[in-house]
Amino acid sequence: MKRSVKMRVSNNFSKPITLWLEPWGADFGMMPDDEFEVIAENAGKDFYFHIVFNEEIRLYAEGQSDYPGIYQKGSELETGHNRFWDKSENES
């Protein structure tokens, strides 16, 4: 039986953080107060999300599913959304 698995991720800090979607290494910059919804379609019975959090968020998709979509206010985001750390490297 396939199902949809959804998770909300919020940045409650006063600074930007990066949400990494693993094992693909996809990155999404989260500005303060941003909230993203992560949706894995066609997830198998064994599917779950594993979160590792420190100065960034690493969200591991474990088990069988389609590539999870990352959404903000109903719009799907592309990898590199708000990639703030890339901008700061180019400024120096």
Side-chain angles (χ1 to χ4, degrees), residues 26 41 59 63 90:
E41 299 289 349
L59 181 59
N90 293 333

Side-chain angles (χ1 to χ4, degrees), residues 52-69:
V52 177
F53 175 78
N54 47 41
E55 294 180 9
E56 59 192 15
I57 300 170
R58 290 205 179 257
L59 181 59
Y60 292 86
E62 305 283 355
Q64 183 180 356
S65 79
D66 292 347
Y67 179 82

Side-chain angles (χ1 to χ4, degrees), residues 37-80:
E37 187 171 46
V38 185
I39 303 174
E41 299 289 349
N42 295 313
K45 200 173 187 179
D46 65 336
F47 183 85
Y48 64 95
F49 288 113
H50 173 175
I51 301 172
V52 177
F53 175 78
N54 47 41
E55 294 180 9
E56 59 192 15
I57 300 170
R58 290 205 179 257
L59 181 59
Y60 292 86
E62 305 283 355
Q64 183 180 356
S65 79
D66 292 347
Y67 179 82
I70 309 290
Y71 298 84
Q72 185 176 33
K73 298 178 182 174
S75 296
E76 188 168 9
L77 304 177
E78 293 187 22
T79 299

Side-chain angles (χ1 to χ4, degrees), residues 5-59:
V5 177
K6 300 178 183 183
M7 169 181 274
R8 289 184 192 257
V9 180
S10 302
N11 178 6
N12 294 330
F13 291 105
S14 60
K15 65 178 186 171
I17 59 174
T18 301
L19 169 67
W20 292 94
L21 181 58
E22 301 291 2
W24 301 277
D27 62 289
F28 304 85
M30 296 187 77
M31 298 298 122
D33 300 318
D34 271 355
E35 182 174 277
F36 294 169
E37 187 171 46
V38 185
I39 303 174
E41 299 289 349
N42 295 313
K45 200 173 187 179
D46 65 336
F47 183 85
Y48 64 95
F49 288 113
H50 173 175
I51 301 172
V52 177
F53 175 78
N54 47 41
E55 294 180 9
E56 59 192 15
I57 300 170
R58 290 205 179 257
L59 181 59

